[in-house]
Amino acid sequence: SLELYDYNYHHSFSSQKDTTYLLLYAASLLEGAIHHSPYNPQLKIAAIQTYATLHAPSRSLELYDDLGIKHIQLDSCAYLILPTLLHGGLYAEAVQLCASIINLHSTTSKDVGNYAAKSYENGLFTKTKEMMEFQCCNMNCSLTLLQAKGVIMDCAALIYSGDDSTHKKKGASSLSPFSSSVLPLGAKHGICGGDYDLERATKMIHDSYNFFSAPSIMTIASSSSTTTSTTKDDYSDNRDSTIYDFEILHHSTSPRNQDKEQQPNYYITTKEEIIQDSLLRGHAHNLLVRATLILSVAKPPKKGKVTKPDSILLSRCESLLQSVQNANLFASASCDGSNEDNNESNQGKKKEKKEEQMIQLNMWNSMIGLCRIIAVLTIGEEDVKNNGDSNSNNATDAKTATVSFNTLADRETKAASLLSIITEEINDAQKTFSHFSSSPSIVGEESDTAEVVCKLLSDRLVSLYLLLEIVGKLFVLYGWGKRKRMTREGAGKLADMALTLKSLIVDMRAALSNYPSLLHANQIDVNEGGGGGKGEDDDVDKQTMALLNEIYSNNDTTSSPSSGYSIHDIISSTDYAQSKEGKVMIENVIRNVLLSQRETKERVYPFLNQMVDILELYNVTD
């Protein structure tokens, strides 16, 4: 079966190339089966996961769309594709899917209320009770609904809704959804340091009280400072994991199906992880919205002295500091919970996953530090609890223990000190990412460098960049602009931090240059012995043929140490692989993967380029 191919051979072959080719062959078998049985959902579900393993999110999305999932199935089956979209940089498609999920819940809430009322009027009390229990216990508490809200908030600034002619169309030669004249970051939605931030932040505050809107995740997060078992029990996991229980993916003898109580389903993120990630997103956007609102009412100093804050500024800064405290409490509790996992199988997770979490933590600490700088500059206070003082464990004392900075010089000195700490955090993140990206990404591994870049961009990088922009505008307000880099301590430290962040983003952009990973990982040179292509599609054709020739060649002698044969032995001894249809299917799979990975790169590049260009403005030398 294909699942046995995917699992057993991945752990048998020592060659990365063989692992990749095996997955390509497995995908070609599935494509051939779908060709002969185009309405078989099991085949498409299997193919979705195989392409996700090959880092081909666009093809996975096409197969998911072909399943025709709609209505209540969105709540139970969206998990099939949502992580793949986020890891593949298909943010607009992820937002569209999550918007459909929220719309489903909003519509269902109204319909159930109407039907329950009619049932009650007709004396069908049992039906009335069933419908109300379904709405209250399953729909309103849906885990998928919670996740959808967080994803929309994270990806809002990463979608572009301009002229339809700039979007990717099926069969179009250009895969870039952006026009050259439009800055993609925050083009239509989200907070991104632009002119519409205040208007958008104000709308988010208003919408946060509407349960069936994405910003309500901020209200939910505000009431959740820890991920206790009670919090986990508050949500209903409506995802249907039984869709994997068919012969092509289910084996009672497979190691991943042994001891299922300790080993969650291979393809399904745990309930605890979804709650933690979603609420952390809510906390992050609480910080962003409050920081944006503070910027709109911040007052510049007068005659070299700080201006006394009015009631509005004071209230907004206190709200920001409270949100910082809540966010740190939640993040600390989440980290403590993850460290308590003594499961041997979980302890053996790949090192790359731990490094990704370290980068996330560095960026999170940097966000918290920037929020504290905003409070220090505007009202001269910071929350001592977030200083990293291990002796300060009393939450009640932390609320009242604040340090005041009453002079402009004190505030600048404190801000410079915090910026130095943040710069170190970003330096650590860059070192970790450089080490992570220097190791070749193996197709089928849990983490791929490009996937990590896509995830970091939506989860942390945009938020960190926005907070830096807000701090930069406050510095300008205080007379410490970019041109004061050499004369003002605060301006110099801010420039150092901005350029360090730019360097990290440049490294992330460089990591994407390895896409398509099929070519990079297997050292295929498509330029050798030819050129003069007619465009991007012609390049893909050359790349496809180069890989196809490599798969069917017998030059590679790498073999499995346990069995003594190579992937070429499998290809040469399998009738389907040698048939005309088999070769066509393998060729189609290669082309699908190449096109999909190229689209990931072209989707993410514009955002990274924009941030790099703006951060470079801090590089003032005179």
Side-chain angles (χ1 to χ4, degrees), residues 7-239:
Y7 185 84
N8 287 346
Y9 282 116
H10 173 65
H11 291 275
S12 297
F13 288 115
S14 59
S15 167
Q16 174 184 347
K17 185 183 297 187
D18 276 358
T19 301
T20 303
Y21 292 166
L22 182 65
L23 287 169
L24 292 173
Y25 182 51
S28 70
L29 289 173
L30 284 167
E31 289 284 12
I34 292 172
H35 175 71
H36 292 285
S37 182
Y39 303 107
N40 188 314
Q42 287 87 357
L43 292 174
K44 293 178 181 177
I45 292 170
I48 288 172
Q49 299 303 333
T50 303
Y51 275 111
T53 308
L54 284 163
H55 313 309
S58 296
R59 180 54 182 159
S60 291
L61 179 60
E62 289 176 2
L63 292 164
Y64 174 84
D65 289 339
D66 287 344
L67 288 173
I69 292 174
K70 55 186 177 180
H71 304 313
I72 195 65
Q73 293 173 331
L74 288 169
D75 196 57
S76 59
C77 298
Y79 76 92
L80 285 172
I81 193 64
L82 186 55
T84 302
L85 297 179
L86 295 175
H87 295 165
L90 304 185
Y91 305 115
E93 289 81 353
V95 168
Q96 184 178 7
L97 174 61
C98 290
S100 299
I101 293 171
I102 293 179
N103 183 62
L104 161 73
H105 283 270
S106 177
T107 303
T108 302
S109 177
K110 297 175 184 177
D111 293 344
V112 168
N114 294 334
Y115 293 148
K118 291 181 180 179
S119 297
Y120 186 83
E121 292 173 357
N122 295 328
L124 302 175
F125 303 123
T126 302
K127 287 292 184 183
T128 302
K129 180 182 178 182
E130 289 177 356
M131 283 189 283
M132 296 306 294
E133 287 180 347
F134 170 75
Q135 182 62 39
C136 294
C137 301
N138 293 93
M139 298 301 286
N140 287 351
C141 304
S142 169
L143 184 68
T144 304
L145 175 62
L146 179 74
Q147 185 181 28
K149 294 176 180 179
V151 169
I152 288 178
M153 294 299 289
D154 265 3
C155 298
L158 297 171
I159 61 175
Y160 175 70
S161 302
D163 189 345
D164 289 340
S165 63
T166 63
H167 286 255
K168 179 179 79 69
K169 298 180 180 179
K170 193 169 183 179
S173 60
S174 177
L175 292 173
S176 176
F178 306 109
S179 64
S180 58
S181 60
V182 178
L183 292 177
L185 189 60
K188 287 292 181 180
H189 303 283
I191 304 175
C192 60
D195 297 334
Y196 300 99
D197 282 357
L198 178 59
E199 177 185 344
R200 294 175 183 178
T202 303
K203 188 176 187 305
M204 288 179 188
I205 291 292
H206 292 160
D207 291 345
S208 65
Y209 298 100
N210 177 7
F211 181 75
F212 295 110
S213 68
S216 65
I217 189 70
M218 297 190 297
T219 303
I220 297 171
S222 297
S223 60
S224 304
S225 59
T226 59
T227 51
T228 61
S229 57
T230 304
T231 304
K232 298 171 187 176
D233 294 338
D234 287 342
Y235 295 96
S236 173
D237 191 351
N238 302 328
R239 294 174 296 172

